[in-house]
């Protein structure tokens, strides 16, 4: 083989290798270019919109189903069916996951969708069950009309209602909303991962573009040398032509990348004068090549960065050859936008700057998302008020200012009165609407320099830097209370609510954020204790009282086991003869250190902490035990009345609990009487009537205590199977010495007579009151005039001489 043939073979082999490398490079660039644009906004927005809609439809489905359960005016299940069909369609659409998710993220999303489908299938089954039960209930009511059928089916109706309530509770308890949030979180994680991959490929694309640019410059230098060599010798002409064609191919590839890149690009000369821009530059900024050619990039300057910023930027470019960072620029239409900019200096072999290449991307969407996230982190999502975190920061800044200026400020903590009742009766949507109206009124009641924040639920905090004294704070508090007390329109309901406000002043009530908020909270609770719809200033004894209540609560928890509780008994006598007819068991607490603790101090505490059920059971057992002891001693016993709490009456096993206590002591059930207040009776009327009927059928006597202070209607009073009405002591105390001003007491006695009930007056302290009540026909009297509550030992003397009441079982 000749030398010429060998050289030709080597050139052919080199050409093949070069071709293979070029093809691999093109494939690599194409792959990077495709991956850099893999995440499409339209596909993402479609999927995010479907996720948001399916969560909204799920919430509406719950609402519609509950509305049918509660007897909504809609005659059918159209809304429920429509939302069910739409949810199924959205689930089908969500299974078509975006193409930019990788296989792992796609599988995770599909797993979450499958779990969501399972929960929806369960929910649909519950809805179908609810629909069948409601339909069956309606048919049964239609078929069994009439008084006798209603009475016979009362228990069945109650059972069906409980069954429907159980279905409804299970329906609302399904974690579809939480699973929806988990699905959104899973998809968001996959989307963020895809975005991160896309950004990585964009950086690679940038590096490739820069590499091609550098390679193009090197090729141009080589082409220049080749051209000079052509003038010196024609022997290398073929080699020069090949090199020129190769350089032109590289230039076309660079131009393709430059033209089709999604990032804006501009190239300047060594004096920072624009010589080229790509189409993405025009799309982002609105400037065409003719608009900016020959100009400095300063044409894009927004004015948000000062001269020092640009000096530091050019210092970094001159020293390191590149700079990247966030910058604000201005579009041709005048709008300002944020961009992520990377500037690279292209230098000659001698290190002299030849060109500057700027590559940037519009990050407006990312900045807006960051701003939304930051806002949500520091604001309440419902009212858009500052939350606890932002409140702490603002209060800290105001305190620093107050310390520096040596002035005062006020912190007000507002809590709506009985807001839970509105949520429980009208629903949380109405509660949210009420909170929004209250928020607007509170904003209008304070100045622009004041801060209004929502802590949680129905608690709001006001920071008043201009209220340096108690008078200023009181003026603002009264203005806020007046604004809150205005009627609110919640759908078809017109509701009036009040609020209680606690006020803490800097620096007399505290010098830190936490102390001021804590003391304002203590003052607010004092305002509620004082009757609500008012405000209270903090005082040191409030903290002391709160600590005392906490200690008293802890000591009350073990009082039963330590034998510190005891019963005193107050006699009830016949109004005409004075004969002993009954006793009322009154609870006492013999504290080892505090002595005899008043019931008004620890009974509300027991109800608030839930101890009242345990204590109430002890009172019932102790009264039965004492009655048994008196019977065993051969005494002539009379019925003992035991006061009940609302929590005891609400217990599902209350009737059996009463029967067990009486039967365990071996007593006739007529020897135990239960006293209930009007307020207790009216909380759940149907259930209460059912419970009272069961107690009456057992033979237990029932009486309504504090009658006249509640809100029961005569219609319901006729339905309550009670034996007696106890006239509240406030009406008895109205009876003057001359026996006048007792109209309400006389009216209650007359009402009891007309209903066939006994009338019992409590709080009788004067002879004039006794004579007036006796003249009006009151059956029994109770009060200090007759006897104070005394221990069981002192009752035994009276029982030994008492005669059993008519019809009494002993």
């Amino acid at each position: 083989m000749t030398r010429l043939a060998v050289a030709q073979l080597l050139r052919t082999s080199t050409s093949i290798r070069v071709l293979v490398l070029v093809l691999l490079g093109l494939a690599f660039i194409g792959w990077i270019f495709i991956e850099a644009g893999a995440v499409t906004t339209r596909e993402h927005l479609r999927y995010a919109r479907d996720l948001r809609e399916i969560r909204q439809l799920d919430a509406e489905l719950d609402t519609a189903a509950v509305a049918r359960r509660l007897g909504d005016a809609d005659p059918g299940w159209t809304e429920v069916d429509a939302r069910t069909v739409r949810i199924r369609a959205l689930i089908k659409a969500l299974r078509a996951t975006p193409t930019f998710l990788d296989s792992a993220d796609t599988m995770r999303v599909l797993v979450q969708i499958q779990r969501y489908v399972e929960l929806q299938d369960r929910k649909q089954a519950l809805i179908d069950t609810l629909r069948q039960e409601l339909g069956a209930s309606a048919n049964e009511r239609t078929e069994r009309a009439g008084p006798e059928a209603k009475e016979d089916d009362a228990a069945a109706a109650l059972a069906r209602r409980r069954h429907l309530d159980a279905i409804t509770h299970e329906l609302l308890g399904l974690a579809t909303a939480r699973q929806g949030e988990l699905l959104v979180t899973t998809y968001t994680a996959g989307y963020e991962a895809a975005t991160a991959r896309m950004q990585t490929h964009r950086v690679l694309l940038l590096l490739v573009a820069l590499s091609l640019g550098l390679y193009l410059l090197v090729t141009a230098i080589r082409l220049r040398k080749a051209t000079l060599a052509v003038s010196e010798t024609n022997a290398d002409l073929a080699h020069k032509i090949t090199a020129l064609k190769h350089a032109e191919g590289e230039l076309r590839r660079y131009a393709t990348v430059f033209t089709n890149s999604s990032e804006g690009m501009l190239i300047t000369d060594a004096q920072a004068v624009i010589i080229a821009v790509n189409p993405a530059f025009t799309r982002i900024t609105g400037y065409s090549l003719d608009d900016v050619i020959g100009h400095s990039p300063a044409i894009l300057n927004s004015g948000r960065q000062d001269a020092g910023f640009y000096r530091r930027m050019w210092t970094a470019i001159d020293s390191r050859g590149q700079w990247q960072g966030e910058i604000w620029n201005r579009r041709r239409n005048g709008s300002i936008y944020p961009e992520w900019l990377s500037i690279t200096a292209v230098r000659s072999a001698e290190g002299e700057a030849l060109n500057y290449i700027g590559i940037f991307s519009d990050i407006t969407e990312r900045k807006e998302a960051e701003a939304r996230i930051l806002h949500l982190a520091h604001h309440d999502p419902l009212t858009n008020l500052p939350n606890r975190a932002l409140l702490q920061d603002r209060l800290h800044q105001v305190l620093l200012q107050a310390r520096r200026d040596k002035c005062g400020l006020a912190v007000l903590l507002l809590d709506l009165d009985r807001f839970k009742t509105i949520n429980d009766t009208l629903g949380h949507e109405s509660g949210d609407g009420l909170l929004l109206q209250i928020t607007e009124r509170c904003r209008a009641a304070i100045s622009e320099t004041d801060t209004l924040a929502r802590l949680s639920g129905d608690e709001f905090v006001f920071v008043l830097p201009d209220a340096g004294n108690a008078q200023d704070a009181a003026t603002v508090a009264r203005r806020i209370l007046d604004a809150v007390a205005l009627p609110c329109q919640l759908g078809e309901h017109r509701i009036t609510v009040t609020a209680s406000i606690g006020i803490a002043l800097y620096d007399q009530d505290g010098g830190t954020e936490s102390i001021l908020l804590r003391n304002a909270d203590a003052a607010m609770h004092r305002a509620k204790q004082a009757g609500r719809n008012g405000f209270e200033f903090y005082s040191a004894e409030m903290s002391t009282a709160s600590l005392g209540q906490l200690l008293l609560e802890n000591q009350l928890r073990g009082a039963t086991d330590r034998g510190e509780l005891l019963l005193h008994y107050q006699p009830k006598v016949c109004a005409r003869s004075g004969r002993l007819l009954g006793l009322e068991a009154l609870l006492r607490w013999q504290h080892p250190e505090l002595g005899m603790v008043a019931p008004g101090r620890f009974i509300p505490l027991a109800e608030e902490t839930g101890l009242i059920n345990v204590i109430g059971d002890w009172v019932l057992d102790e009264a039965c035990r004492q009655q048994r002891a008196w019977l065993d001693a051969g005494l002539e016993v009379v019925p003992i009345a035991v006061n009940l709490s609302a929590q005891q009456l609400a217990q599902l096993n209350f009737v059996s609990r009463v029967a067990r206590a009486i039967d365990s002591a071996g007593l006739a059930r007529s020897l135990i009487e239960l006293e209930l207040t009007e307020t207790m009776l009216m909380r759940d009327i149907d259930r209460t009537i059912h419970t009272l009927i069961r107690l009456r059928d057992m033979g237990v006597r029932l009486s309504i205590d504090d009658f006249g202070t509640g809100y029961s209607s005569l219609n319901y009073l006729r339905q309550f199977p009670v034996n007696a009405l106890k006239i509240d002591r406030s009406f008895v105390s109205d009876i003057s010495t001359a026996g006048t001003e007792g109209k309400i007491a006389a009216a209650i006695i007359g009402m009891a007579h007309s209903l066939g009930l006994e009338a019992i007056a409590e709080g009788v302290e004067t002879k004039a009151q006794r004579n007036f009540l006796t003249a009006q026909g009151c059956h029994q009297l109770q009060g200090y005039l007759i006897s104070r509550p005394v221990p069981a030992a002192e009752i035994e003397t009276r029982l030994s001489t008492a005669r059993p009441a008519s019809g009494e079982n002993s």
Side-chain angles (χ1 to χ4, degrees), residues 248-306:
E248 289 176 349
E250 294 292 335
L251 183 61
R252 280 194 297 272
R253 285 189 289 272
Y254 168 75
T256 300
V257 174
F258 182 78
T259 302
N260 297 325
S261 174
S262 59
E263 282 83 11
M265 295 184 182
L266 63 86
I267 302 175
T268 71
D269 58 17
Q271 286 72 42
V273 175
I274 298 175
I275 60 175
V277 297
N278 70 344
F281 174 95
T282 301
R283 185 180 67 254
I284 294 173
T285 67
Y287 288 102
S288 66
L289 176 61
D290 294 335
D291 295 329
V292 298
I293 193 78
H295 291 276
S296 167
I299 193 175
L300 304 174
N301 194 341
S302 66
R304 289 198 177 187
Q305 289 84 23
D306 56 16

Side-chain angles (χ1 to χ4, degrees), residues 97 101-113 186:
T97 57
L101 296 179
D102 62 13
S103 58
D105 289 331
T106 299
M107 182 57 64
R108 281 190 285 270
V109 171
L110 292 176
V111 167
Q112 296 303 330
I113 292 176
T186 304

Side-chain angles (χ1 to χ4, degrees), residues 746-788:
I748 295 176
I749 294 172
M751 182 187 304
H753 288 169
S754 64
L755 294 174
L757 305 177
E758 294 183 7
I760 304 173
E762 58 182 355
V764 180
E765 299 181 355
T766 66
K767 292 181 179 180
Q769 294 171 351
R770 180 187 61 187
N771 295 336
F772 178 86
L773 293 168
T774 302
Q776 295 297 324
C778 185
H779 298 89
Q780 298 183 33
L781 304 179
Q782 178 184 0
Y784 285 177
L785 181 65
I786 312 302
S787 172
R788 290 177 176 271

Side-chain angles (χ1 to χ4, degrees), residues 20 61 107 168 178 181 442 668 741 794:
V20 171
L61 181 62
M107 182 57 64
T168 305
R178 185 165 61 254
E181 293 175 359
C442 290
E741 303 301 331
E794 297 186 25

Side-chain angles (χ1 to χ4, degrees), residues 342-591:
S342 177
I343 300 176
T344 301
V346 181
R347 303 185 185 278
S348 64
E350 293 78 17
E352 181 181 359
L354 301 176
N355 300 94
Y356 296 99
I357 301 176
I359 302 178
F360 62 91
S361 57
D362 186 351
I363 58 172
T364 301
E365 291 185 2
R366 191 188 78 186
K367 295 292 289 185
E368 291 176 349
E370 291 175 353
R372 287 194 297 270
I373 293 173
L374 183 62
H375 182 82
L376 290 174
H378 293 88
H379 290 78
D380 173 54
L382 174 64
T383 62
N384 203 33
L385 292 176
N387 59 13
R388 184 181 295 272
L390 184 54
L391 170 66
Q392 292 281 355
D393 180 70
R394 291 191 179 179
L395 183 53
H396 178 71
Q397 298 300 325
V398 172
L399 285 174
L400 291 178
Q401 182 71 29
R403 293 190 190 103
R404 184 167 53 251
D405 298 341
K406 296 183 179 180
C407 61
L409 64 90
V411 175
L412 280 63
L413 194 147
L414 178 147
D415 185 271
L416 296 179
D417 298 330
R418 299 182 180 89
F419 176 73
K420 184 177 183 300
T421 303
I422 296 176
N423 265 344
D424 294 343
T425 55
L426 300 182
H428 287 278
E429 288 187 3
S430 296
D432 290 345
L434 175 63
L435 289 176
L436 289 174
Q437 293 185 45
I438 296 300
T439 297
E440 292 304 317
R441 295 178 183 180
C442 290
R443 278 178 173 154
I446 59 178
S447 65
E448 295 182 355
T449 59
D450 299 332
T451 295
L452 171 60
R454 182 188 180 199
L455 283 186
S456 62
D458 58 339
E459 282 191 341
F460 297 84
V461 171
F462 302 80
V463 179
L464 312 178
D466 296 331
N469 54 58
Q471 182 177 357
D472 294 339
T475 300
V476 177
R478 176 50 59 192
R479 187 163 63 243
I480 293 171
L481 289 175
D482 292 341
V484 171
L486 295 175
C488 298
Q489 191 68 38
L490 302 178
E492 60 183 11
H493 302 285
R494 190 172 178 84
I495 302 297
T496 299
V497 296
T498 59
S500 300
I501 295 178
I503 305 174
L505 301 176
Y506 173 81
D507 59 352
Q508 66 188 61
D509 296 333
T512 64
E513 306 92 77
S514 59
I515 293 177
L516 286 172
L517 289 173
R518 183 190 66 197
N519 292 342
D521 183 70
M524 180 272 293
H525 283 91
R526 177 61 61 88
K528 284 190 176 294
Q529 295 172 4
R532 299 183 172 89
N533 193 24
F535 61 88
E536 290 283 343
F537 285 91
Y538 172 77
S539 59
E541 58 268 18
M542 290 182 182
S543 296
T544 304
S546 297
L547 178 60
Q549 285 293 93
L550 179 61
L551 296 176
L552 196 66
E553 175 189 340
N554 291 328
Q555 294 167 350
L556 181 59
R557 291 186 181 278
T560 305
D561 297 333
R562 294 191 299 269
E564 297 173 3
L565 298 181
L566 66 154
L567 292 182
H568 283 190
Y569 300 88
Q570 188 173 30
K572 295 186 290 185
V573 301
C574 176
R576 296 190 178 276
S577 66
R579 181 166 50 89
L580 180 65
L581 297 179
L583 299 170
E584 181 178 1
L586 300 172
L587 181 62
R588 297 293 185 264
W589 181 12
Q590 184 63 49
H591 194 280

Side-chain angles (χ1 to χ4, degrees), residues 581-624:
L581 297 179
L583 299 170
E584 181 178 1
L586 300 172
L587 181 62
R588 297 293 185 264
W589 181 12
Q590 184 63 49
H591 194 280
E593 298 176 359
L594 302 177
M596 193 68 74
V597 181
R601 185 176 178 188
F602 71 89
I603 292 296
L605 184 62
E607 292 179 341
E608 181 180 349
T609 58
L611 295 174
I612 194 65
N613 288 331
V614 176
I615 294 176
D617 289 345
W618 179 88
V619 170
L620 181 60
D621 290 337
E622 176 62 16
C624 293

